[in-house]
Amino acid sequence: TASVRCSNTRRPRNASWACCRPANPFATEMLMATHSSGPLSRTRSRRLRLRVRERVRVRARALRETSTDAERLLWKHLRDRRLDGYKFRRQHPIASYFADFACDEASLVVELDGGQHFEPEAAQADAKRTAALRSNGWQVLRFDNRQMLEQTESVLSVIHQWLRSNHSHPKPLPPAGEGVNPQEASHG
């Protein structure tokens, strides 16, 4: 990779922009503030946003490819609008986090936690993550992997009940073949 100089540190760095990568991948404003040379040009700012967006897309894909058994099982039930017509996304970026499963239309995040999430530090990080998601307008339902694997129907029931009680049903698709009435078309 080509060596370029970072205007912030004046040290050579590779083209990965490692020294300038913000903790929050969507906060390019933070990046602009760290450079002493002033605000970024419009073209450079656009290139940075595109690069960050690509990194987010690659990271989400990697998370989907390395999902746990519990995540794969839940995805089998949520994908293709299988849960009462609600569309869910897997490893969906929200703020600086990737939600395990997110339903945009209901602003619902479903998180599956492994055994490591019961450690005090991890529980504290999960609470911080939940607070950040809620501050962005999302509701969070948390289950552990064992619940999902052993009590699948109960977990799906809780998600379905939450959707029914907190969000109206998504607009159903019109029946096939519906459209202009042939009788009305012949009169006009």
Side-chain angles (χ1 to χ4, degrees), residues 5-11 13 19-20 30-37 44:
R5 294 211 175 263
C6 173
S7 61
N8 187 26
T9 60
R10 297 288 180 209
R11 292 181 311 192
R13 64 171 172 76
C19 72
C20 298
M30 289 170 32
L31 191 97
M32 290 169 59
T34 62
H35 287 274
S36 60
S37 62
R44 186 169 170 208

Side-chain angles (χ1 to χ4, degrees), residues 162-182:
W162 188 94
L163 288 167
R164 286 295 205 162
S165 63
N166 294 292
H167 186 266
S168 61
H169 191 276
K171 294 178 183 177
L173 296 173
E178 188 174 79
V180 178
N181 187 343

Side-chain angles (χ1 to χ4, degrees), residues 41-56:
S41 70
R42 194 177 289 189
T43 304
R44 186 169 170 208
S45 176
R46 182 172 181 269
R47 273 190 252 142
L48 283 173
R49 281 194 309 272
L50 290 173
R51 196 172 291 146
V52 167
R53 198 175 299 150
E54 177 64 18
R55 278 193 205 123
V56 168

Side-chain angles (χ1 to χ4, degrees), residues 35-185:
H35 287 274
S36 60
S37 62
L40 300 172
S41 70
R42 194 177 289 189
T43 304
R44 186 169 170 208
S45 176
R46 182 172 181 269
R47 273 190 252 142
L48 283 173
R49 281 194 309 272
L50 290 173
R51 196 172 291 146
V52 167
R53 198 175 299 150
E54 177 64 18
R55 278 193 205 123
V56 168
R57 194 176 62 78
V58 168
R59 175 76 175 134
R61 182 183 302 140
L63 288 170
R64 286 191 294 268
E65 290 172 356
T66 60
S67 59
T68 64
D69 292 339
E71 289 173 337
R72 284 191 295 275
L73 177 61
L74 182 56
W75 182 238
K76 182 177 106 175
H77 293 283
L78 296 180
R79 63 179 297 175
D80 297 329
R81 297 183 183 266
R82 290 180 184 168
L83 188 65
D84 204 21
Y86 289 95
K87 179 172 178 58
F88 279 85
R89 296 175 185 271
R90 195 165 51 138
Q91 299 302 337
H92 184 59
I94 301 171
S96 60
Y97 300 100
F98 288 90
D100 288 343
F101 302 94
C103 178
D104 280 330
E105 56 200 323
S107 297
L108 174 66
V109 168
V110 179
E111 290 287 320
L112 292 179
D113 298 331
Q116 72 276 12
H117 288 267
F118 299 116
E119 300 292 324
E121 305 85 34
Q124 193 174 24
D126 285 343
K128 180 181 173 186
R129 174 186 174 108
T130 299
L133 292 170
R134 285 195 172 137
S135 71
N136 279 291
W138 294 83
Q139 293 300 313
V140 180
L141 295 179
R142 285 191 174 278
F143 303 97
D144 63 61
N145 286 348
R146 203 166 86 204
Q147 280 179 305
M148 185 61 215
L149 294 170
E150 295 174 0
Q151 303 166 351
T152 304
E153 292 304 318
S154 298
V155 169
L156 293 171
S157 177
V158 169
I159 296 169
H160 188 252
Q161 286 174 0
W162 188 94
L163 288 167
R164 286 295 205 162
S165 63
N166 294 292
H167 186 266
S168 61
H169 191 276
K171 294 178 183 177
L173 296 173
E178 188 174 79
V180 178
N181 187 343
Q183 292 176 350
E184 289 177 8

